[in-house]
Amino acid sequence: MKKLRSQNWFGKTGKDGFIYRAWMKNQGYPHDEFEGKSVIGICNTWSELTPCNGHLRDLAEFVKRGVWEAGGFPLEFPVMSLGETLMKPTTMLYRNLASMDAEESIRGNPLDGVVLLGGCDKTTPSILMGACSVDLPSIFLSGGPMLNGRHRGKTIGTTDVWKFSEAHRKGELSADEFVAAEANMCRSDGHCAVMGTASTMACMVESLGLTLPQNAAIPASDSRRKVLAHLSGRRIVEMVKEDLKLSKILTREAFENAIMINAAVGGSTNFVVHLLAIAGRIGVPLELEDFDKFSEKIPLLVNLLPSGTFMMEDFYYAGGLPQVIKELSPFLNNNAITVNGHSIEKNASTAECFDRNVIATIEKPFKVESGIAVVKGNLCPHGAIIKPSAATASLMQHKGKAVVFENIEDYKARIDVPDLEVDEQSILVLKNVGPKGYPGMPEVGNMGLPKKLLAKGVTDMVRISDGRMSGTAFGTVILHVSPEAAAGGPFGLVESGDLIELDVPKRTITLHVSEKELENRRQSWKAPELGYDRGYVQMYIQHVEQAHQGVDLDFLKGHSGSEVTRDSH
Ligand code: FES
């Protein structure tokens, strides 16, 4: 076995070794812990401000059990945690900052391997991006989903927030019942229990081969989540011995598998920007078109909200992600290796399906439409995306007049104004909610419909923006328009009344305005003034890349490895 990285700290003699060990000993570690044991960092996104990760301190104790048992030395450390529901203006603004925290915390410390603990939407991609830029042996452990919510005898989940809110706006749901539903929905530890972004991320890390089997769906409150933590702790010690680094697992084949599996589970559109960013860190070429190309033949197998009816708890009882992987074996790169040293195919070989209502077969899928469709045209030369399984089939080919909102404040001020010129054929356009324009690309793309159309019974309209949408949302929503309006893209030139044509089967989106007219408009176009003149946000605006590139900061792409070349002691 090669020399442990941690011995560059704890194996030193003289003054340096004294300093590295002595201060650690104040925590009660005997001297032999420092003599050649692999040091395992537990990178923890626990925070009381990230309620979905609120149990991760407890879960870390089970990881430690496994590490101790396997002869390793576990050391838990906190990193920036991003709580989706509380953090303003949007956690996406800070995903890259949190990744920097994870990267530098891992590299700068005496660690040989890392267990990454995340759960809420951005905590998974952020720490994985950071870990990729260091490339030590690493294993991911998700916090697990919440138990199904129960309200008035019915199962409810995060997707119902939108339904409750629309019903409340329409006066169909009283204020008291609206409040009562809150406690009934979030009744246990864990992240959102639908196939929103958190569940999508948990599936993503398992699909990439970065977790032990069944990581994605075991509920947070299920004792088997603790067993998984224990086993992950055991396994990372072995991975250090095998030098099984992230770059050995995160191959191009693994990314293709993740895209196909995401299509089969009906994962969130946010998957796109996170997977692109992770690929950018580890150095695997991946493009927006790959999401369409590799999901094209994959039907939707998993019947989970928001595309279906069930939730993650049901998914686990039905067989979990290994069963989906088994179903997809004719399509997948079956030899892709995973953290336990086995191929993705071998890990899934013992999977069984216990409920075909939840996990369907390739022959008889839940829905034929799945995955992410990438549309392009003069409105978005670098592409935009739509999740067909969450959209209305009749709107997938649609022509309508644009009703343009210049920013989210403009939308909020005018959407319910009685004389707004809008009908069900109109296309709602929201500008300046992209990476630079907001800044931080918030989840506002699934803008609510005008009250007057809701009252007429309209349930969906084509909506287009350079922002994102929540993984729990649904509708015929075109997202991630690139280049965004604030970056000078043609999207910024759209005006109310312009004719827009969407054709998802043909993968096109066309702004029916002449190039000459667009050029005239370009002459008078001005970038929005955002008023950030200091700190992280200013740096973010200067360096953030566009949606089709993963919204990472340009200088964070790639990896610097794990070597620390200078030593201040
Ligand atoms: Fe944290 Fe949904 S808010 S997972």
Side-chain angles (χ1 to χ4, degrees):
M1 190 173 129
K2 74 175 195 186
K3 184 188 167 194
L4 288 169
R5 181 175 181 272
S6 59
Q7 285 297 297
N8 293 328
W9 283 260
F10 298 143
K12 288 220 161 150
T13 54
K15 178 186 80 87
D16 289 357
F18 182 101
I19 291 169
Y20 293 134
R21 292 183 301 270
W23 270 263
M24 290 296 287
K25 286 180 178 177
N26 79 342
Q27 297 177 92
Y29 297 116
H31 184 77
D32 60 5
E33 293 303 330
F34 302 97
E35 294 181 331
K37 283 191 169 187
S38 28
V39 179
I40 304 300
I42 302 174
C43 175
N44 202 338
T45 51
W46 166 85
S47 167
E48 288 179 341
L49 291 167
T50 308
C52 315
N53 294 14
H55 62 302
L56 294 188
R57 276 263 35 258
D58 296 339
L59 199 62
E61 293 305 318
F62 291 88
V63 177
K64 287 181 194 171
R65 276 191 196 177
V67 174
W68 287 122
E69 194 180 270
F73 179 16
L75 293 171
E76 183 185 351
F77 62 97
V79 287
M80 185 182 193
S81 187
L82 309 172
E84 199 63 30
T85 48
L86 299 182
M87 206 165 183
K88 290 184 180 182
T90 168
T91 50
M92 188 61 184
L93 179 59
Y94 305 111
R95 182 199 66 177
N96 302 336
L97 179 63
S99 81
M100 291 165 84
D101 181 354
E103 174 179 345
E104 304 303 339
S105 296
I106 294 170
R107 183 181 300 111
N109 280 301
L111 304 177
D112 302 302
V114 189
V115 181
L116 302 163
L117 254 66
C120 199
D121 297 16
K122 306 302 182 301
T123 56
T124 297
S126 63
I127 56 177
L128 181 53
M129 287 161 67
C132 283
S133 292
V134 189
D135 197 18
L136 285 179
S138 308
I139 192 168
F140 209 101
L141 175 68
S142 302
M146 290 180 206
L147 297 175
N148 292 354
R150 295 289 292 168
H151 178 64
R152 296 191 159 211
K154 285 202 183 115
T155 298
I156 57 165
T158 320
T159 303
D160 291 286
V161 173
W162 313 111
K163 290 182 180 155
F164 286 143
S165 143
E166 300 262 289
H168 185 47
R169 282 179 69 202
K170 284 195 259 175
E172 293 166 6
L173 191 73
S174 73
D176 285 350
E177 196 185 337
F178 197 51
V179 169
E182 293 171 4
N184 299 348
M185 191 172 74
C186 302
R187 65 190 179 97
S188 79
D189 287 337
H191 61 73
C192 294
V194 298
M195 188 52 75
T197 304
S199 302
T200 300
M201 291 295 100
C203 290
M204 178 189 77
V205 284
E206 187 170 340
S207 313
L208 286 167
L210 297 178
T211 74
L212 294 180
Q214 293 291 14
N215 169 75
I218 302 174
S221 307
D222 192 307
S223 55
R224 287 163 288 189
R225 176 66 53 186
K226 293 176 179 143
V227 175
L228 194 76
H230 187 139
L231 295 177
S232 301
R234 267 194 210 162
R235 179 58 197 152
I236 186 66
V237 178
E238 295 303 313
M239 287 173 67
V240 171
K241 285 186 195 142
E242 296 163 14
D243 197 27
L244 187 52
K245 298 191 290 191
L246 280 169
S247 55
K248 293 185 180 169
I249 297 169
L250 290 175
T251 58
R252 165 80 188 185
E253 288 72 28
F255 282 93
E256 291 172 4
N257 283 345
I259 292 171
M260 290 186 259
I261 296 167
N262 184 65
V265 301
S268 151
T269 47
N270 288 320
F271 172 79
V272 177
V273 286
H274 298 322
L275 199 75
L276 284 167
I278 293 160
R281 294 295 184 100
I282 205 75
V284 167
L286 195 69
E287 291 181 353
L288 191 59
E289 285 75 8
D290 289 324
F291 291 81
D292 210 335
K293 182 172 150 200
F294 287 97
S295 58
E296 201 185 353
K297 289 200 190 96
I298 309 293
L300 183 62
L301 297 184
V302 177
N303 177 1
L304 255 60
L305 282 160
S307 302
T309 44
F310 294 98
M311 285 195 268
M312 289 298 279
E313 189 184 343
D314 312 302
F315 184 36
Y316 177 51
Y317 303 150
L321 201 68
Q323 177 58 29
V324 177
I325 293 171
K326 194 176 177 181
E327 293 289 341
L328 290 179
S329 74
F331 304 95
L332 298 178
N333 301 302
N334 285 309
N335 293 329
I337 209 76
T338 73
V339 283
N340 66 3
H342 299 143
S343 69
I344 194 164
E345 183 179 43
K346 180 157 194 298
N347 282 344
S349 61
T350 52
E352 282 183 67
C353 184
F354 303 106
D355 191 344
R356 284 293 176 201
N357 293 319
V358 181
I359 305 173
T361 61
I362 291 285
E363 295 73 37
K364 232 177 134 199
F366 170 54
K367 284 184 190 176
V368 177
E369 285 288 3
S370 79
I372 308 286
V374 176
V375 292
K376 278 191 175 178
N378 63 345
L379 191 68
C380 50
H382 294 313
I385 61 166
I386 180 170
K387 183 176 174 181
S389 64
T392 302
S394 58
L395 290 174
M396 299 290 263
Q397 286 175 301
H398 182 81
K399 209 188 259 187
K401 283 191 179 168
V403 177
V404 175
F405 302 97
E406 289 299 323
N407 51 44
I408 190 67
E409 289 76 21
D410 182 29
Y411 162 78
K412 285 180 182 165
R414 294 197 292 122
I415 188 67
D416 288 333
V417 168
D419 61 1
L420 181 72
E421 273 192 45
V422 65
D423 60 32
E424 53 265 61
Q425 298 302 318
S426 305
I427 294 182
L428 304 181
V429 172
L430 177 58
K431 297 181 190 172
N432 294 312
V433 290
K436 287 179 192 290
Y438 187 72
M441 206 182 178
E443 292 182 333
V444 293
N446 59 310
M447 52 200 123
L449 308 186
K451 228 176 192 170
K452 64 181 180 187
L453 294 184
L454 285 174
K456 280 171 67 182
V458 177
T459 54
D460 194 10
M461 291 169 72
V462 175
R463 290 158 269 179
I464 307 175
S465 79
D466 46 14
R468 297 177 302 121
M469 81 171 176
S470 161
T472 60
F474 45 86
T476 311
V477 187
I478 303 286
L479 303 155
H480 305 193
V481 164
S482 179
E484 61 174 305
F491 188 58
L493 308 177
V494 185
E495 291 180 1
S496 285
D498 289 351
L499 196 62
I500 296 176
E501 185 173 4
L502 172 68
D503 192 332
V504 179
K506 286 201 182 128
R507 301 296 194 257
T508 57
I509 186 161
T510 312
L511 175 64
H512 287 289
V513 174
S514 70
E515 194 40 53
K516 190 160 170 264
E517 169 62 17
L518 288 178
E519 194 45 49
N520 286 342
R521 291 182 193 177
R522 200 167 280 126
Q523 299 306 321
S524 50
W525 178 83
K526 281 197 189 78
E529 285 183 21
L530 297 168
Y532 292 99
D533 59 1
R534 66 167 296 280
Y536 169 74
V537 180
Q538 187 198 32
M539 182 178 75
Y540 175 93
I541 294 167
Q542 283 170 2
H543 291 279
V544 72
E545 296 194 325
Q546 290 294 287
H548 72 285
Q549 300 164 303
V551 199
D552 203 356
L553 302 184
D554 51 12
F555 60 85
L556 288 176
K557 279 198 153 166
H559 45 109
S560 315
S562 60
E563 204 184 337
V564 183
T565 49
R566 306 192 79 181
D567 190 339
S568 59
H569 288 303

